[in-house]
C-alpha cells in the first residue's frame, strides 16, 4: 500500500480530534483510503499542552514552509481557523501542488472564488465537508449524489451554539445571558461568542451552501444577517404559547428567477421538522426539482464529528488520486 | 465534450422518470457529468404505451444483447425490477465491461456478493443508490463521506408503502384494509402488495445497508422479518393513547461484537425522530463511532426522486471514468 503524507496545521480542538480519530479508526480509514495515512508534520506553537494524545515531539514545527514547501507532503489539513494566515497557507499549499482539506468556514466564505480557482488551476483537490454542518455529509451529497437536481431552496440550522442557547431558553425558561453562560460552560460557545450569536458563522456556511447549490458566490457580509442576542425570554414564551419555537435559520431560495437569502431568527410551528432539532444539533433541508425535500440531521460541531468529515475528505482524495503517495 | 452512451433496460415508472429527468435537467446533468448523456437504446416490450414522453421508436429493442453486447454501450441502467432476468443481464453487462446502475433492491439483495465481485473483476462501476431510500443519498454517504467511522447501528423507515398505510391508520383511524386500498388508489402500493406489507422489501434494503456499513452480507431470507398486515386498528389506537406511533423499522446493530438485525413493527414514542416521519417518506438513522447519530430524511419512492438517484450514479461514473465516452 502507498503512504499518504499529511501536514497538519493547527492542533486545537478539531486538530486534536482529527489526530485521535486517525489513531482510533486507523484500520477502517486506511482500508477505505487504500493507503497508509501518516501525519508527518504538525504546525503548532503549543507543543507542551496535554491533549490526551501522544505525539512524537519531532513532528512539531513552527515553520509553515516546512509543510507547505515540503515535496513530501501530499495533503495539507488546515485547522488553524481564522481567515489569515490560513487562506495564504492554503493558497501556497495548492500552488505547491498539495491537496487541501479544511474545516475553516470563515476562510472559505471570504475567498471562495479565489480558493476554488487556485485548486482548479493546480489540479489539486480542495475539500471542506467539515466547514458546514460538522459531521453531516451535506456538501458531499449536493456535489455528488444529488447533482441531477436543480436546487431551489436550502434552509438550515447550521450553528450549534445558537441552537443550544435557544433550546435552553425554550425548554428551561433561561434568559439569554444565562443560556449563553451554560453554553460556554459546556464548551459549546467561546469566550467571545460574537461570531456565533450575531449570525456571522451561519452566514459563512450559507455562502458555502449557495456557492455549491446555486453556483453563485455571495460574500457573507452581503447576506442580511440577524443574530439571537436580542431575543428575550418574553419572545420565547410567546412563541411557546402559540405552539412554536424560535430557531436561527440560514436560508436561500430561488424566487421568480432570483436568489433570495438571509440569516435570521424564525418562529417555526412545532410540527415543522426543523422545530424539533434541539441543543447542539444541526439540520439542513434542501429541495431539488427531482428529489423534492430532503433533510440531513446530525451533530454540527465537536471534535470527533468534525474530524469524521475531515478524514472523510482525506479518504476521498486518497481514493481519487493516482498520483500521490509512494507505492 | 465526450458522449456517454446508455442502454436503458425497462421503461416502467422509474425508467420513464429517468428518461423524463434527463430531458428536464439535461444542462445541469451534462455539466456535472462533463459529458453528453445519450440514451441510445431501450429494452422494453411495450412500445405503444403513452408515457408522456417522446421517444424515437428506433431506440426500442426487444433483444437484450443489442445493449449488453454492443461495444458502443458505456453504461447499462437496469430498471426492469425482479430478480431475473435482471441479475443475469447485469452480470453480462459487467462481463462485457459496461458500468451498471440499478434501482433493483431485490436483485442486489439476492446476489450482493456475486454482483460486487463481478464489478471488481471487470473493473467497472456497479452503483445502486436508488435501491435504498429512493432519492435519499444514504448509500453515497456511508460509502464516501462517512468512511472514517466504524458504524454501530442503522435504523430506518425504508418502505414508503407501509409507512403510508400506518400513517393513514394512525391519523385518520382507518383499518388496515381501507388504508391499503387508499395506498393502492394513490399509486403507493401495487395490486399485489405482499413484498411491501410483509416486510421483504424492507429486508432487501437492510441487506444492502448491512453489506455496505458492516461489510457483512446477510441474505434477506435470513433476516427475521415481520410485516404490518396483522396490525389492527386497536393496536394503533392503543399506541396513540400512550403517546406513541407504530412504525415498520429495519434495524441492525453491533451488540457485544455481534451483528443483530431484523424487520418488524415497533412502537415509538412520539418524540422519537422517526415517529414524525409520515406517509410515503423514508428516514434512515445511522450511528458511527466518530460522527454520532445522523438522520437522512426524504422521499423514499416515486419516479423523479428515484430517477434523481439513478442519474446521480450516472454522473459519478462519468466523472470518475476516463475511459468511457468518445471525446
Amino acid at each position: 500500500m502507498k503512504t499518504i503524507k499529511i501536514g497538519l496545521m493547527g492542533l486545537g480542538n478539531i486538530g486534536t480530534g482529527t489526530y485521535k480519530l486517525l489513531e482510533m479508526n486507523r484500520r477502517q480509514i486506511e482500508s477505505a483510503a487504500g493507503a497508509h495515512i501518516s501525519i508527518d508534520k504538525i504546525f503548532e506553537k503549543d507543543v507542551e499542552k496535554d491533549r490526551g494524545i501522544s505525539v512524537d515531539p519531532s513532528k512539531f514545527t513552527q515553520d509553515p514552509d516546512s509543510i507547505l514547501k515540503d515535496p513530501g507532503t501530499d495533503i495539507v489539513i488546515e485547522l488553524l481557523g481564522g481567515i489569515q494566515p490560513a487562506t495564504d497557507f492554503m493558497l501556497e499549499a495548492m500552488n505547491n501542488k498539495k491537496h487541501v482539506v479544511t474545516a475553516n468556514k470563515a476562510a472559505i466564505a471570504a475567498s471562495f472564488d479565489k480558493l476554488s480557482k487556485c485548486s482548479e488551476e493546480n489540479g489539486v483537490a480542495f475539500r471542506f465537508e467539515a466547514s458546514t454542518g460538522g459531521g453531516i455529509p451535506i456538501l458531499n451529497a449536493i456535489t455528488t449524489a444529488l447533482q441531477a437536481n436543480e436546487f431551489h431552496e436550502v434552509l438550515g440550522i447550521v450553528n450549534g451554539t445558537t441552537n443550544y442557547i435557544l433550546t435552553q431558553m425554550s425548554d428551561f425558561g433561561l434568559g439569554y445571558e444565562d443560556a449563553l453562560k451554560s453554553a460556554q460552560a459546556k464548551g459549546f460557545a467561546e469566550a467571545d461568542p460574537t461570531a456565533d450569536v450575531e449570525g456571522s458563522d451561519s452566514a459563512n456556511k450559507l455562502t458555502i451552501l449557495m456557492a455549491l447549490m446555486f453556483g453563485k458566490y455571495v460574500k457573507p457580509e452581503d447576506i442580511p444577517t440577524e443574530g439571537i442576542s436580542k431575543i428575550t425570554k418574553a419572545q420565547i414564551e410567546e412563541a411557546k404559547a402559540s405552539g412554536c419555537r424560535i430557531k436561527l435559520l440560514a436560508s436561500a431560495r430561488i424566487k421568480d428567477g432570483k436568489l433570495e437569502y438571509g440569516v435570521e431568527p424564525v418562529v417555526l410551528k412545532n410540527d415543522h421538522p426543523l422545530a424539533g432539532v434541539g441543543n447542539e444539533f444541526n439540520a439542513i433541508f434542501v429541495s431539488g426539482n427531482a428529489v423534492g425535500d430532503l433533510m440531513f440531521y446530525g451533530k454540527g460541531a465537536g471534535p470527533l464529528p468534525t474530524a469524521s468529515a475531515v478524514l472523510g475528505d482525506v479518504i476521498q482524495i486518497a481514493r481519487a488520486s493516482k498520483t500521490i503517495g509512494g507505492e
Side-chain angles (χ1 to χ4, degrees), chain A:
Chain A
M1 266 203 320
K2 61 188 179 182
T3 295
I4 288 175
K5 293 187 175 176
I6 289 178
L8 176 61
M9 309 196 79
L11 199 60
N13 278 338
I14 308 301
T16 303
T18 300
Y19 195 95
K20 266 187 194 160
L21 181 55
L22 180 58
E23 296 304 312
M24 184 168 102
N25 287 0
R26 182 174 288 280
R27 234 177 73 180
Q28 159 66 20
I29 291 167
E30 295 191 336
S31 154
H36 296 295
I37 310 276
S38 169
I39 296 181
D40 275 13
K41 289 183 184 166
I42 301 173
F43 172 72
E44 169 63 49
K45 293 209 174 96
D46 188 349
V47 301
E48 299 298 333
K49 185 175 172 185
D50 180 8
R51 298 174 169 92
I53 53 176
S54 104
V55 183
D56 177 349
S58 74
K59 291 189 174 181
F60 283 105
T61 174
Q62 269 72 55
D63 174 15
D65 281 347
S66 76
I67 289 173
L68 302 172
K69 291 191 170 155
D70 178 1
T73 305
D74 297 307
I75 301 176
V76 172
I77 301 182
E78 185 283 304
L79 299 173
L80 296 165
I83 292 177
Q84 286 297 8
T87 306
D88 285 344
F89 288 171
M90 291 194 277
L91 292 168
E92 190 182 343
M94 291 193 276
N95 284 327
N96 289 329
K97 311 295 177 198
K98 295 169 195 339
H99 304 287
V100 168
V101 173
T102 182
N104 191 333
K105 51 250 174 189
I108 304 165
S111 307
F112 183 86
D113 277 356
K114 200 171 174 183
L115 288 161
S116 304
K117 204 174 147 210
C118 185
S119 100
E120 273 168 39
E121 284 173 355
N122 287 291
V124 293
F126 174 52
R127 297 186 69 108
F128 41 89
E129 182 65 69
S131 68
T132 306
I136 303 172
I138 178 69
L139 303 188
N140 184 63
I142 60 184
T143 57
T144 65
L146 298 176
Q147 281 185 305
N149 288 269
E150 284 177 8
F151 293 108
H152 39 81
E153 187 168 16
V154 60
L155 191 68
I157 296 171
V158 291
N159 180 276
T161 306
T162 47
N163 201 48
Y164 178 85
I165 292 172
L166 291 173
T167 305
Q168 294 295 309
M169 290 175 77
S170 183
D171 288 2
F172 301 107
L174 297 187
Y176 171 77
E177 290 300 335
D178 289 335
L180 171 59
K181 270 178 209 152
S182 161
Q184 284 166 328
K186 289 216 168 187
F188 294 145
E190 296 178 54
D192 177 0
T194 312
D196 290 323
V197 300
E198 299 305 345
S200 70
D201 177 79
S202 294
N204 285 335
K205 291 161 179 171
L206 186 58
T207 287
I208 295 169
L209 287 166
M210 288 195 290
L212 297 179
M213 293 175 69
F214 306 111
K216 194 170 155 115
Y217 171 44
V218 180
K219 291 189 179 174
E221 59 265 34
D222 294 335
I223 297 175
T225 299
E226 187 188 329
I228 63 160
S229 63
K230 292 193 188 77
I231 290 180
T232 62
K233 216 162 139 172
Q235 287 171 310
I236 297 270
E237 292 305 324
E238 194 188 321
K240 270 179 81 169
S242 51
C244 296
R245 279 161 189 267
I246 298 178
K247 293 288 179 189
L248 183 66
L249 296 188
S251 67
R253 64 189 59 78
I254 306 277
K255 203 171 167 182
D256 302 328
K258 262 192 65 179
L259 187 61
E260 292 181 350
Y261 42 84
V263 172
E264 61 181 338
V266 174
V267 179
L268 293 179
K269 285 259 174 208
N270 279 341
D271 61 0
H272 189 289
L274 289 177
V277 176
N279 288 316
E280 76 273 29
F281 279 85
N282 279 195
I284 300 163
F285 247 88
V286 299
S287 190
N289 70 343
V291 77
D293 290 342
L294 285 174
M295 190 177 78
F296 301 77
Y297 166 95
K299 285 192 181 153
L304 282 182
T306 309
S308 161
V310 168
L311 289 174
D313 277 347
V314 168
I315 290 169
Q316 299 324 301
I317 292 172
R319 279 167 39 160
S321 175
K322 310 270 181 247
T323 60
I324 65 171
E327 290 294 331

